[in-house]
Amino acid sequence: MTAPWSRNLQRDRCGVLTVEIEHVDVATLEMLEQQGVDCQPKASTIRIIQDKYLQKVHFSQHAIPLPEFMQIDDLEGAKRAGDLFGYPLMIKSKRLAYDGRGNAVANSEEELPSAVTALGGFDRGLYVEKWAPFVKELAVIVARGRDDSILCYPVVETIHRENICHIVKAPANVTWDIRNRATDVAYKAVSSLEGAGVFAVELFLTGDGQILLNEVAPRPHNSGHHTIESCYTSQYEQHLRAVAGLPLGDPSMKSPAAIMYNILGEDEGESGFVLAHQLIKRALSIPRATVHWYDKPEMRKQRKMGHVTIVGSSLGEVEEQLKAMLKEECSSYPSAVTPHVGIIMGSDSDLPVMKDAARILNMFDVPYEVKIVSAHRTPEVMFSYASSAWERGIQVIIAGAGGAAHLPGMVAALTPLPVIGVPVRASALDGLDSLLSIVQMPRGVPVATVAINNATNAGLLAVRMLGIKDVDLLARMSQYQEDTKNDVLKKAEKLEKDGWESYLNP
Amino acid sequence: MTAPWSRNLQRDRCGVLTVEIEHVDVATLEMLEQQGVDCQPKASTIRIIQDKYLQKVHFSQHAIPLPEFMQIDDLEGAKRAGDLFGYPLMIKSKRLAYDGRGNAVANSEEELPSAVTALGGFDRGLYVEKWAPFVKELAVIVARGRDDSILCYPVVETIHRENICHIVKAPANVTWDIRNRATDVAYKAVSSLEGAGVFAVELFLTGDGQILLNEVAPRPHNSGHHTIESCYTSQYEQHLRAVAGLPLGDPSMKSPAAIMYNILGEDEGESGFVLAHQLIKRALSIPRATVHWYDKPEMRKQRKMGHVTIVGSSLGEVEEQLKAMLKEECSSYPSAVTPHVGIIMGSDSDLPVMKDAARILNMFDVPYEVKIVSAHRTPEVMFSYASSAWERGIQVIIAGAGGAAHLPGMVAALTPLPVIGVPVRASALDGLDSLLSIVQMPRGVPVATVAINNATNAGLLAVRMLGIKDVDLLARMSQYQEDTKNDVLKKAEKLEKDGWESYLNP
């Protein structure tokens, strides 16, 4: 017999049926598919995913790396698993596990019975997983179109609080190699499932650099909430494009960095709302933060009540802003104007030259910092300055040095940022020594060298570089060139009018 | 007497009242204000704006530059205005003018009666405006908070079709000076009005560089639709923040360029829908395009049925994609991978050196083009290449030259983009001539110079520069540095193991 609501889903009335959550009655989905209703992703996928044990079996059959696991039917089985995998031991419900519910940790054999009881006993269907000694949890949103085209969003880092997703950093601050391998695992995992849609692939990164699959959700996911503000196509639009058979949109980031913070219920009832509203008030004063409040009628501890996404030009910048947002007493926030350019020099004797770079950055309203960092006298300072610059939000480094000028090249060796070198004229050789020391870098480590003592051009070059992502700066640079031209034309006109003799002797 | 619905707006039930369109009954608004309802913007602002003649009087009293205008009450008055302002003469309805309705042009005195009739006659309230000989129409969305803080969105260019907004380019491709002056006029215009909210200020840019105010709308506006995808805070969120007394969000662009295209009704009824749906289908295959379909029940000629916004890394790129979208027969679209780096050289004899830059860009998957452009032998080609590079979507130029190497410096003089110079070793002087010719640029025009013949470093420097806006590239650069380190460590280990003698003679 067909229920009346299922008749409404006949092929002629419903273009495509998708799910918002995998915990649905999969038998009904399968029946609908048999009746010709187009389900995306397929019921077979939902069936695999909603049973976490089945999910593990499926992925291990497809050679996806994942922590070892086994089904347990009684306490004896649990003990055997403990002997095999060691402790702590992860015990999980096969079904209806969500936001940390359905997981329990046994730290020793003695804790096994209470862990099993906490999960509702063996009748609920349990399995164990070998503890994954992860150093980071990563996630990848993967979209698959109806034509089986697959696009992956950037790898993110997820940080959990009591097993509930709390913070997501996009992109994950891991090496390119790890990003690539994480994306590969996610791609393969989704390829092994049937149907179109957006999938979230949760991964463990272990201390020895392994990527292990944790689990997959067949839908938009908390780890992809940041995409609403930070990516060209949000995971929600992407899911609709995928299931409706439209071409997939661009999943890449339009903002260099984003951080997502889940507003979790701190307290039951009114006092919880008061805390959340204070947080939201602080979030609203951060110019590049977006607040999402779900307007759930009831506040419960650890319940996801909303989220805040902050986008910015570097992870360091958005992390700073999040940190400030979480301080209850904070009344002002680090603005988006953390220094974008670092001007460094080997000695204060270089300052009379290097000040010209700062003057240009002032003129173009580019935030910068000025520091003395010597390659030869403060190598440790140089090391930590160069290797932390990107994380602090610095985007270009201008380094000036004279003589055997090592600072620009050494800094360039320690950062992936572009480094501009200013050869400062020292007492001997008219600065040629500085110039050659800076410009003649070996293959692999470039320094963008400007003319001897010409820190003005270093400032202008930094502005041009920043103009790559800031059209306002680019337009101001064009205007600067136009103004310079007009200055010269005025002089030319005066020479024309006055003649060269009175031009020279006014 | 108070209407029942107005009782529902008493202060205790309604936090704040705002308008979606200025054509509302302003007397009612004023009555509500007297009853204590908080209207934002103020009824006084709506009263001024909904009567275009009153609006002109108001702004001219506040010394905002605008085309000359005068009220006309009869044909004699219209003729006097024609004598005074010349033809073509713009005749406008004072009220209910919208999307080109309420405007009529008389090209000569003979056309005055028919223009007046087209507008419904003098009883409707008419005035005339001196024809503004504009070269571009610009617009600025301005947000004012309840604390009178004012933030301006980037200046955009609006292109009209039969008086209806058709295309919006963000930012406007005008000089920085013009952007500044346009923003100033918009700021002053909004400062002269009362109340919080988002305002759209439409402007004319005349051939002699004047900015004249056209009109102001006290609400989110078609010229700000692009902000949904391209700015940190959309005009809609900004309006709500403003009227609700929340801090204003960041109005700047998170994407370097955007183009908005209004889907206007081409035809009544079904055939109009077919054309629109074909357009939408093409728009959906552009990876960074977002389609907004308003789902209006009826299609009318010139009616705004929806819009498409394309974002990208340059105006040139998004304009190309829009052009392709509008070609009916087009089956494939220019992807977002227009060249980002231009590799140019003075002569094909430089290619054996310059190829190394291309190899690096291949390795990092950066799209590029390779061209021969000689400063001395093809100066016109160099001029057009350099001055059009930005518009075509080029973000960094790598120029190689030998001897009296002028190409990098000349190109840098003709573009606001960063230019990397590669000194190519010519027959004499071991390349020192090339190096000094490239690096010793005068103040004002920087060239980022790398070592002699080291095009590898030029490629790497270009990648670092592009990494400023592309964290993936930055991570790949870090990985490249890591891989280089490991290569050296392997060699060090081998030397350690083999000893230096067998290392040299394996």
Side-chain angles (χ1 to χ4, degrees):
Chain A
M1 205 192 81
T2 314
W5 56 267
S6 101
R7 273 202 299 276
N8 289 332
L9 290 175
Q10 299 307 315
R11 179 181 264 171
D12 54 339
R13 303 213 191 165
C14 164
V16 57
L17 177 69
T18 188
V19 296
E20 191 195 41
I21 181 80
E22 56 275 26
H23 304 304
V24 294
D25 178 8
V26 78
T28 301
L29 271 191
E30 283 165 342
M31 187 191 70
L32 288 170
E33 274 186 353
Q34 279 162 16
Q35 291 171 7
V37 174
D38 182 2
C39 298
Q40 301 291 344
K42 296 290 166 208
S44 61
T45 294
I46 306 298
R47 179 174 285 285
I48 290 166
I49 283 178
Q50 67 176 205
D51 183 320
K52 284 196 178 187
Y53 177 71
L54 221 60
Q55 200 187 126
K56 302 273 161 179
V57 171
H58 169 88
F59 288 124
S60 76
Q61 281 168 351
H62 284 82
I64 312 285
L66 70 174
E68 291 179 73
F69 65 97
M70 62 187 285
Q71 183 170 309
I72 52 172
D73 301 315
D74 51 28
L75 210 53
E76 279 315 302
K79 282 178 185 165
R80 275 198 305 277
D83 293 343
L84 198 62
F85 296 154
Y87 293 88
L89 188 66
M90 201 69 190
I91 309 182
K92 294 188 170 184
S93 295
K94 289 181 176 180
R95 301 171 62 82
L96 295 172
Y98 189 70
D99 278 352
R101 275 169 294 208
N103 288 358
V105 177
N107 287 299
S108 64
E109 193 174 299
E110 288 66 45
E111 288 183 25
L112 283 176
S114 61
V116 168
T117 308
L119 294 174
F122 291 105
D123 295 347
R124 297 284 298 272
L126 299 182
Y127 73 103
V128 297
E129 254 180 56
K130 187 172 176 180
W131 185 264
F134 65 85
V135 289
K136 278 186 177 170
E137 290 185 84
L138 307 176
V140 184
I141 300 285
V142 181
R144 182 161 65 187
R146 296 180 72 120
D147 56 356
D148 285 334
S149 59
I150 290 188
L151 290 178
C152 299
Y153 281 79
V155 181
V156 300
E157 179 181 353
T158 57
I159 296 167
H160 289 75
R161 192 175 87 174
E162 296 172 32
N163 286 313
I164 295 176
C165 178
H166 196 211
I167 290 173
V168 173
K169 297 180 187 182
N173 190 6
V174 293
T175 66
W176 180 249
D177 173 56
I178 289 172
R179 285 196 212 178
N180 268 346
R181 288 189 293 114
T183 306
D184 278 354
V185 171
Y187 186 101
K188 274 189 203 133
V190 171
S191 301
S192 75
L193 299 168
E194 289 184 296
V198 150
F199 300 79
V201 182
E202 295 187 84
L203 304 161
F204 295 123
L205 170 65
T206 66
D208 57 352
Q210 275 190 82
I211 305 285
L212 301 176
L213 185 121
N214 179 12
E215 59 184 66
V216 174
R219 52 169 166 86
H221 186 257
N222 202 165
S223 64
H225 283 5
H226 73 94
T227 62
I228 301 170
E229 285 84 19
S230 74
C231 291
Y232 288 102
T233 312
S234 90
Q235 63 170 350
Y236 298 101
E237 177 174 343
Q238 197 74 294
H239 187 72
L240 294 179
R241 281 174 175 258
V243 301
L246 301 175
L248 298 179
D250 185 343
S252 60
M253 292 184 76
K254 62 180 161 189
S255 197
I259 198 161
M260 192 279 326
Y261 178 85
N262 270 343
I263 306 174
L264 300 177
E266 297 281 352
D267 221 338
E268 313 287 316
E270 195 52 27
S271 70
F273 278 110
V274 169
L275 284 170
H277 287 175
Q278 284 167 351
L279 184 77
I280 288 171
K281 198 178 164 199
R282 297 194 298 271
L284 284 167
S285 359
I286 300 176
R288 294 180 181 180
T290 307
V291 176
H292 299 260
W293 179 248
Y294 308 151
D295 209 16
K296 294 184 181 177
E298 219 180 299
M299 167 81 70
R300 282 198 304 271
K301 254 196 162 164
Q302 293 292 85
R303 189 179 198 193
K304 291 175 180 172
M305 303 302 294
H307 74 269
V308 177
T309 301
I310 308 175
V311 297
S313 57
S314 70
L315 266 184
E317 185 182 298
V318 294
E319 281 171 357
E320 274 308 306
Q321 296 192 325
L322 178 63
K323 219 185 285 170
M325 182 182 99
L326 297 179
K327 277 191 200 140
E328 276 170 39
E329 71 288 357
C330 188
S331 61
S332 77
Y333 299 93
S335 62
V337 291
T338 50
H340 291 176
V341 178
I343 302 177
I344 57 175
M345 61 206 81
S347 154
D348 61 346
S349 65
D350 301 325
L351 191 54
V353 168
M354 296 305 290
K355 70 171 193 314
D356 292 340
R359 282 190 175 155
I360 290 290
L361 298 178
N362 276 340
M363 187 197 291
F364 284 89
D365 298 317
V366 172
Y368 62 90
E369 61 185 19
V370 179
K371 288 182 188 292
I372 294 172
V373 176
S374 167
H376 302 133
R377 283 156 294 194
T378 62
E380 299 83 1
V381 174
M382 179 195 70
F383 190 94
S384 76
Y385 182 87
S387 43
S388 71
W390 173 71
E391 273 181 29
R392 293 195 301 112
I394 297 285
Q395 291 161 33
V396 178
I397 295 174
I398 299 175
H406 292 178
L407 183 66
M410 283 308 301
V411 168
L414 290 161
T415 177
L417 298 174
V419 175
I420 300 171
V422 182
V424 175
R425 180 161 51 214
S427 48
L429 295 171
D430 258 352
L432 193 63
D433 48 349
S434 323
L435 171 59
L436 296 179
S437 302
I438 292 174
V439 76
Q440 285 296 99
M441 289 293 291
R443 257 165 244 280
V445 185
V447 170
T449 310
V450 294
I452 296 165
N453 269 13
N454 199 335
T456 299
N457 276 5
L460 291 170
L461 185 54
V463 173
R464 287 187 184 219
M465 290 179 185
L466 295 171
I468 290 175
K469 69 156 181 184
D470 182 340
V471 274
D472 269 5
L473 271 186
L474 204 77
R476 290 175 77 165
M477 179 53 71
S478 291
Q479 187 68 47
Y480 173 86
Q481 292 173 286
E482 195 65 24
D483 294 347
T484 313
K485 181 164 85 183
N486 291 335
D487 287 350
V488 174
L489 289 178
K490 264 182 219 149
K491 288 183 188 173
E493 198 181 342
K494 186 174 151 56
L495 174 59
E496 189 81 18
K497 214 180 85 201
D498 300 356
W500 68 268
E501 284 175 314
S502 64
Y503 192 100
L504 282 179
N505 308 297
Chain B
M1 208 189 83
T2 313
W5 57 266
S6 102
R7 273 201 300 278
N8 288 333
L9 291 174
Q10 299 307 315
R11 181 182 262 171
D12 54 338
R13 304 212 191 164
C14 163
V16 57
L17 176 69
T18 189
V19 295
E20 193 196 39
I21 182 81
E22 56 275 25
H23 304 303
V24 294
D25 178 8
V26 79
T28 301
L29 271 191
E30 282 164 342
M31 188 190 69
L32 289 169
E33 273 185 354
Q34 278 162 16
Q35 291 172 8
V37 173
D38 183 3
C39 299
Q40 300 291 344
K42 297 291 167 206
S44 61
T45 294
I46 307 298
R47 180 174 283 287
I48 290 166
I49 283 178
Q50 68 176 203
D51 182 322
K52 285 196 177 185
Y53 177 71
L54 221 59
Q55 199 189 127
K56 302 273 161 179
V57 171
H58 169 88
F59 288 125
S60 76
Q61 281 168 351
H62 285 82
I64 313 285
L66 68 173
E68 291 180 72
F69 65 98
M70 61 187 285
Q71 182 170 309
I72 50 170
D73 300 314
D74 50 30
L75 210 55
E76 278 316 300
K79 282 178 185 167
R80 276 197 305 277
D83 292 344
L84 199 60
F85 296 155
Y87 292 88
L89 187 66
M90 200 69 188
I91 309 182
K92 293 189 172 184
S93 295
K94 290 180 175 181
R95 301 172 62 83
L96 295 172
Y98 189 70
D99 276 352
R101 275 170 293 206
N103 288 358
V105 176
N107 287 299
S108 63
E109 194 174 300
E110 287 67 45
E111 288 183 25
L112 283 176
S114 62
V116 167
T117 308
L119 294 173
F122 290 104
D123 295 347
R124 298 284 300 273
L126 299 182
Y127 73 104
V128 296
E129 254 180 56
K130 188 173 174 179
W131 185 263
F134 65 85
V135 288
K136 276 186 178 168
E137 290 186 84
L138 306 176
V140 184
I141 300 284
V142 180
R144 181 161 67 187
R146 295 179 72 117
D147 57 356
D148 285 334
S149 59
I150 291 187
L151 290 178
C152 298
Y153 281 79
V155 181
V156 300
E157 178 180 354
T158 56
I159 296 167
H160 290 74
R161 191 176 87 174
E162 296 173 34
N163 285 312
I164 295 177
C165 178
H166 195 210
I167 290 173
V168 174
K169 297 180 186 182
N173 190 7
V174 293
T175 66
W176 180 250
D177 172 56
I178 289 172
R179 285 196 212 178
N180 269 346
R181 289 190 291 115
T183 306
D184 279 354
V185 170
Y187 186 101
K188 275 189 202 135
V190 171
S191 301
S192 75
L193 299 167
E194 289 185 296
V198 151
F199 299 80
V201 182
E202 295 186 85
L203 303 161
F204 295 122
L205 170 64
T206 65
D208 56 352
Q210 276 190 82
I211 305 285
L212 300 176
L213 184 121
N214 178 13
E215 59 184 67
V216 174
R219 51 169 167 85
H221 186 257
N222 203 164
S223 64
H225 283 5
H226 73 95
T227 62
I228 301 170
E229 285 84 20
S230 75
C231 292
Y232 288 103
T233 312
S234 89
Q235 63 170 351
Y236 299 101
E237 176 173 344
Q238 196 73 296
H239 187 73
L240 294 178
R241 282 175 174 256
V243 301
L246 301 174
L248 298 180
D250 186 344
S252 59
M253 292 184 76
K254 63 181 160 187
S255 197
I259 199 160
M260 193 278 326
Y261 178 85
N262 271 342
I263 306 175
L264 301 177
E266 297 280 352
D267 221 338
E268 314 285 317
E270 196 50 30
S271 69
F273 278 110
V274 169
L275 284 170
H277 288 175
Q278 285 168 350
L279 184 76
I280 289 171
K281 198 177 166 200
R282 296 194 298 270
L284 283 167
S285 359
I286 299 176
R288 295 182 180 178
T290 306
V291 176
H292 299 260
W293 178 248
Y294 308 150
D295 209 15
K296 295 183 181 176
E298 219 180 301
M299 167 79 71
R300 282 199 304 270
K301 252 194 165 167
Q302 293 293 84
R303 191 179 196 191
K304 292 174 178 170
M305 304 302 295
H307 75 268
V308 177
T309 301
I310 308 174
V311 297
S313 57
S314 70
L315 268 184
E317 185 182 298
V318 293
E319 281 171 358
E320 274 308 306
Q321 296 191 324
L322 177 63
K323 221 185 283 171
M325 182 183 98
L326 298 179
K327 276 191 202 141
E328 276 171 38
E329 71 288 359
C330 188
S331 61
S332 78
Y333 299 93
S335 63
V337 291
T338 50
H340 290 175
V341 178
I343 302 177
I344 57 175
M345 59 205 81
S347 153
D348 61 346
S349 64
D350 302 324
L351 191 54
V353 169
M354 297 304 291
K355 71 172 191 315
D356 292 340
R359 281 189 175 154
I360 291 289
L361 298 178
N362 276 340
M363 187 197 291
F364 284 90
D365 298 316
V366 172
Y368 62 90
E369 61 185 19
V370 179
K371 288 182 188 291
I372 293 171
V373 176
S374 167
H376 301 133
R377 283 155 295 192
T378 61
E380 298 83 2
V381 173
M382 178 195 70
F383 190 95
S384 76
Y385 182 86
S387 43
S388 71
W390 173 72
E391 274 181 29
R392 291 194 302 112
I394 297 286
Q395 291 161 33
V396 177
I397 295 174
I398 299 176
H406 291 179
L407 183 66
M410 282 309 302
V411 167
L414 289 162
T415 177
L417 298 174
V419 175
I420 300 171
V422 181
V424 175
R425 181 161 49 215
S427 47
L429 296 171
D430 258 353
L432 193 63
D433 48 349
S434 323
L435 171 59
L436 296 179
S437 302
I438 291 173
V439 77
Q440 285 296 98
M441 288 293 291
R443 255 166 246 279
V445 185
V447 170
T449 310
V450 294
I452 296 165
N453 269 14
N454 200 334
T456 298
N457 276 5
L460 292 169
L461 186 55
V463 173
R464 288 187 184 220
M465 290 180 185
L466 294 172
I468 291 176
K469 67 156 183 185
D470 182 340
V471 275
D472 269 4
L473 270 187
L474 204 76
R476 292 175 78 165
M477 178 54 69
S478 290
Q479 187 67 47
Y480 173 87
Q481 292 174 286
E482 196 64 25
D483 294 347
T484 313
K485 180 164 85 182
N486 292 334
D487 287 350
V488 174
L489 290 177
K490 264 182 220 150
K491 287 184 188 174
E493 199 180 341
K494 185 172 153 55
L495 175 59
E496 190 80 20
K497 214 180 84 203
D498 299 356
W500 68 268
E501 283 175 314
S502 66
Y503 192 98
L504 282 178
N505 307 299

